[in-house]
């Protein structure tokens, strides 16, 4: 199977490319590299060579923006003519900063929504009707529930979230137009952290990270002097907010399970999380313990738009995908730190 991975050089994308190649898929990456680095894919190749699992690594890398319809068309046509048509797409490409999306909604709607429409138009033209879409738990109306299932209220509070909802709805309409042919999976991620245990690929945000885990690893590396914890007055056992952290390799494997399920034509929308809640202090304590590093912290006020508890009900993922998360918080902290300490400047 020849799989197109848009945004395949990003954090989740690169780990998913690795998992795909390990499972014998052929992979074509389309990435604009505006928020990612081609070196992540060099890392993927290095891991595969080291493991000696594959002799000729079937990975093609193309620099392109998914809004470039002509280029996408040429790509699909080229693969069709070569007798190896693109069979399915895993669609990561998109902008993902909450803050930026509030400042520049036009750009977010253009890249995320128009980009997805362009991609689907080309897929449709070439009768490629399998897509796994990278959605987010950020679309739930955060309400401090014990956990969110796929039927929980959808109520995004920023343009990043509204573009994810719009794409899910658009994909649903596409599916309904021809349910006998389309196979679509919307995967709603919770908080992916960690890295591949080799330390060769990982998360490399540009500038100061806004998510907690890369921020924490940069504090551990001495690049930032302390971790600000946003609020210690949440109604939780230690006063800090609770999230569902999931190892990026578990998340990557979830994409392959979803892809395999799309052989039956259907649409599915599935949470990918562990179902376990971890407070900010528990995350920091675990990181300190497994890596034997002290993290200086300071409690500050709550961050605007934050909420107390966001944890997945992952029952549907387990029953419908035959997937389950396998890696504990300890591994996320060990692997994430290995990546940061071996690559202090990222890629
Ligand atoms: C954030 C985004 C969400 C996005 C997700 C993944 C917001 C409000 N939400 O989710 O839309 O899908 O990232 O990219 O931005 N924290 C600190 N100190 C820090 C950073 C974070 O205490 O320096 C806390 C936060 O308050 C939160 C937890 O750590 O309780 C996790 O934060 P973060 O990694 O930013 O993820 P989310 O807020 O869950």
């Amino acid at each position: 199977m020849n799989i197109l991975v848009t945004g395949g050089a990003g954090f989740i994308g690169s780990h998913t490319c690795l998992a795909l190649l390990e499972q014998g898929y052929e992979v074509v990456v389309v990435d604009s590299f505006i928020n990612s680095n081609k070196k992540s894919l060099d890392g993927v190749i290095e891991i595969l060579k080291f493991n000696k699992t594959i002799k000729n690594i079937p990975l093609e890398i193309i620099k392109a923006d998914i809004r470039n319809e002509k280029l996408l068309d040429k790509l699909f046509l080229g693969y069709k003519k070569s007798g190896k048509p693109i069979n399915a797409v895993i669609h990561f490409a998109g902008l993902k900063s909450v803050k930026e999306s509030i400042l520049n909604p036009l750009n977010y709607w253009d890249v995320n929504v128009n980009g997805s429409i362009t991609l689907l138009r080309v897929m449709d033209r070439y009768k490629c009707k399998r897509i796994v879409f990278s959605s987010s738990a950020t679309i739930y109306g955060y309400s401090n529930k014990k956990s969110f299932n796929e039927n929980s209220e959808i109520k995004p509070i920023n343009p990043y979230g509204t573009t994810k909802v719009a794409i899910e709805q658009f994909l649903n309409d596409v599916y309904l137009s021809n349910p006998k042919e389309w196979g679509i999976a919307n995967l709603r991620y919770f908080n992916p952290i960690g890295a591949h245990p080799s330390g060769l690929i990982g998360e490399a945000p540009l500038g100061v990270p806004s998510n907690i885990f890369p921020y924490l690893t940069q504090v551990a590396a001495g690049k930032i002097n302390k971790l600000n914890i946003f609020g210690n007055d949440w109604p939780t056992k230690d006063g800090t907010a609770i999230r569902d952290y999931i190892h990026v390799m578990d998340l990557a494997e979830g994409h392959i399970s979803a892809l395999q399920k799309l052989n039956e034509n259907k649409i599915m929308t599935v949470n990918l999380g562990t179902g376990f809640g971890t407070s900010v202090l528990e995350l920091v304590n675990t990181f300190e313990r497994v890596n034997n590093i002290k993290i200086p912290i300071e409690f500050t006020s709550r961050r605007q738009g934050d909420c107390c508890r966001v944890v997945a009900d992952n029952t549907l993922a387990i029953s419908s995908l035959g997937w389950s998360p396998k890696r504990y918080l300890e591994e996320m902290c060990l692997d994430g730190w290995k990546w940061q300490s071996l690559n202090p400047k990222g890629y």
Side-chain angles (χ1 to χ4, degrees):
M1 286 261 281
N2 208 3
I3 312 296
L4 170 65
V5 183
T6 72
F11 174 43
I12 307 169
S14 54
H15 288 79
T16 304
C17 286
L18 173 65
L20 283 166
L21 290 161
E22 278 177 337
Q23 300 245 350
Y25 290 93
E26 294 170 65
V27 175
V28 182
V29 167
V30 165
D31 200 302
S32 67
F33 300 116
I34 55 162
N35 271 326
S36 62
N37 196 313
K38 191 175 163 290
K39 286 187 187 152
S40 65
L41 298 169
D42 297 341
V44 167
I45 292 169
E46 214 175 311
I47 296 167
L48 291 167
K49 281 191 177 154
F50 183 77
N51 292 341
K52 294 193 176 61
T53 37
I54 310 172
K55 283 209 179 77
N56 299 313
I57 298 162
L59 173 63
E60 215 35 77
I61 303 163
I62 294 143
K63 182 175 185 234
D65 189 306
I66 52 162
R67 290 166 298 173
N68 187 341
E69 188 162 350
K70 267 194 184 151
L71 194 140
L72 285 186
D73 194 282
K74 214 170 128 194
L75 184 102
F76 274 79
L77 181 64
Y79 279 99
K80 187 183 165 194
K81 280 187 172 164
S82 74
K84 279 189 178 180
I86 289 167
N87 305 107
V89 177
I90 302 185
H91 178 31
F92 294 105
L95 300 174
K96 58 166 195 165
S97 156
V98 169
K99 222 171 161 183
E100 259 177 39
S101 77
I102 296 167
L103 297 172
N104 198 345
L106 267 176
N107 203 30
Y108 270 68
W109 278 81
D110 187 30
V111 173
N112 294 1
V113 180
N114 278 341
S116 301
I117 294 172
T118 308
L119 174 67
L120 266 283
R121 196 157 45 224
V122 179
M123 286 174 65
D124 192 35
R125 202 175 296 144
Y126 287 91
K127 304 203 170 3
C128 169
K129 305 218 173 183
R130 301 276 176 277
I131 182 166
V132 178
F133 170 58
S134 125
S135 188
S136 169
T138 197
I139 68 175
Y140 291 122
Y142 285 170
S143 57
N144 301 335
K145 286 160 70 112
K146 190 171 172 288
S147 63
F148 292 89
N149 69 32
E150 291 77 1
N151 296 320
S152 298
E153 188 191 13
I154 302 298
K155 203 175 172 192
I157 57 163
N158 53 62
Y160 164 68
T162 47
T163 63
K164 291 286 177 192
V165 175
I167 300 164
E168 279 197 10
Q169 288 174 342
F170 152 67
L171 288 175
N172 193 48
D173 289 345
V174 169
Y175 172 76
L176 292 175
S177 72
N178 195 346
K180 285 198 183 122
E181 289 195 359
W182 282 98
I184 297 176
N186 296 308
L187 303 183
R188 295 180 180 161
Y189 312 152
F190 281 68
N191 291 59
I193 62 168
H196 187 265
S198 62
L200 288 166
I201 56 174
E203 188 169 13
L206 301 174
V208 180
S210 49
N211 292 121
I212 191 156
F213 196 76
Y215 199 99
L216 174 64
T217 59
Q218 294 200 10
V219 173
K223 288 174 86 174
I224 303 175
N225 60 5
K226 62 176 171 22
L227 173 72
N228 296 312
I229 297 185
F230 301 146
N232 60 352
D233 55 352
W234 294 100
T236 62
K237 55 182 182 251
D238 61 23
T240 64
I242 291 176
R243 294 291 180 274
D244 183 336
Y245 299 99
I246 175 167
H247 195 294
V248 65
M249 284 309 299
D250 277 328
L251 195 67
E253 288 161 11
H255 288 73
I256 304 201
S257 305
L259 190 66
Q260 287 163 350
K261 289 290 164 192
L262 291 186
N263 289 331
E264 307 144 41
N265 302 318
K266 58 170 142 191
I267 186 156
M268 52 184 170
T269 297
V270 183
N271 284 341
L272 288 185
T274 64
F276 288 104
T278 301
S279 74
V280 175
L281 273 179
E282 283 170 336
L283 174 68
V284 173
N285 292 339
T286 306
F287 187 94
E288 290 186 325
R289 175 169 54 79
V290 298
N291 293 311
N292 200 18
I293 297 174
K294 186 89 198 116
I295 302 291
I297 58 166
E298 187 175 318
F299 292 109
T300 60
S301 51
R302 294 178 181 185
R303 178 173 64 179
Q304 204 191 351
D306 260 354
C307 119
C308 177
R309 182 183 169 91
V310 186
V311 176
D313 175 340
N314 63 3
T315 321
L316 184 65
I318 292 169
S319 64
S320 67
L321 300 181
W323 162 93
S324 57
K326 296 184 183 65
R327 295 150 178 102
Y328 291 102
L329 190 67
E330 281 78 2
E331 269 174 279
M332 303 181 210
C333 291
L334 279 167
D335 295 341
W337 173 237
K338 185 169 181 186
W339 154 253
Q340 169 68 49
S341 51
L342 291 176
N343 307 274
K345 293 187 177 151
Y347 289 109

